[in-house]
């Protein structure tokens, strides 16, 4: 979890590949209306997010019910959002990818073809409720070093 530019997709897919687990990016669960809204630079509200968070929750629960482990990325900026997507901390481990505003803004400047607008990064930082119960990881190092830290600290 983390704000835009924190490396959720990069780190999540690399971690999943190393572990041989399925990977899902939360962006895949957005409705076309949500993507259109964000592409226009309009932040989502809680009504927009509710079905998206429920879809991610169902995906995670479906895999857990089959005894499968999966890596899923999601911004999950607020505690109430995390409570929906990861209701059982014994079975779902959160990793908070954190970085400072200038670093992440610089990363967003380098993106091509992504719906997240740079102007929305500030609002994400303002909305962020850092989790108390997640593994917090600095995203300044190389992705491989971040994945190694996650694997070491979560013992996977």
């Amino acid at each position: 979890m983390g704000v835009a530019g924190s490396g959720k997709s990069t780190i999540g897919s690399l971690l999943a590949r190393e572990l041989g687990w399925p990977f899902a990016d939360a962006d895949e669960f957005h409705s076309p209306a949500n993507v259109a809204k964000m592409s226009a630079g309009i932040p989502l509200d809680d009504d927009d997010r509710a079905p998206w968070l429920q879809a991610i929750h169902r995906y995670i629960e479906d895999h857990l019910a089959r005894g499968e482990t999966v890596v899923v990325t999601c911004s999950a900026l607020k505690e109430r959002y995390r409570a929906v997507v990861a209701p059982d901390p014994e079975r779902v481990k959160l990793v908070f990818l954190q970085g400072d505003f200038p670093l992440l803004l610089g990363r967003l400047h380098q993106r091509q073809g992504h719906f997240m607008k740079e102007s929305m990064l500030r609002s994400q930082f303002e909305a962020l409720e850092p989790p108390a119960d997640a593994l917090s990881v600095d995203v300044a190092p190389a992705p491989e070093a971040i994945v190694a830290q996650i694997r070491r600290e979560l013992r996977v």
Side-chain angles (χ1 to χ4, degrees):
M1 62 151 291
V3 299
S6 61
K8 295 181 300 291
S9 299
T10 300
I11 301 303
S13 62
L14 182 58
L15 178 64
R17 187 170 43 251
E18 281 192 14
L19 296 171
W21 297 349
F23 170 73
D25 191 305
D27 290 348
E28 300 166 16
F29 297 90
H30 277 299
S31 68
N34 280 4
V35 172
K37 194 171 183 178
M38 291 184 289
S39 294
I42 303 167
L44 300 180
D45 60 29
D46 284 350
D47 289 337
D48 298 322
R49 286 186 190 94
W52 172 66
L53 294 169
Q54 283 298 323
I56 297 166
H57 172 88
R58 282 190 303 275
Y59 180 84
I60 292 169
E61 285 297 318
D62 288 348
H63 280 275
L64 290 173
R66 293 192 302 266
E68 299 171 354
T69 308
V70 62
V71 175
V72 181
T73 65
C74 181
S75 54
L77 299 177
K78 297 186 178 192
E79 180 58 38
R80 68 179 175 267
Y81 305 159
R82 294 187 291 272
V84 173
V85 297
D88 184 352
E90 292 301 315
R91 299 175 67 204
V92 179
K93 302 300 179 198
L94 292 176
V95 176
F96 175 35
L97 300 176
Q98 59 180 359
D100 63 29
F101 188 85
L103 172 68
L104 302 185
L105 183 61
R107 289 180 177 181
L108 290 181
H109 281 298
Q110 296 173 1
R111 279 190 176 176
Q112 300 293 321
H114 192 275
F115 60 75
M116 177 57 77
K117 302 297 182 197
E118 296 170 17
S119 61
M120 295 171 64
L121 181 60
R122 175 77 54 201
S123 68
Q124 285 197 340
F125 266 88
E126 291 168 359
L128 178 63
E129 297 171 1
D133 59 346
L135 168 61
S136 293
V137 179
D138 178 20
V139 297
E144 296 78 11
I146 295 168
V147 168
Q149 179 185 355
I150 293 168
R151 292 191 65 183
R152 187 172 52 253
E153 294 197 32
L154 293 182
R155 295 184 175 108
V156 292

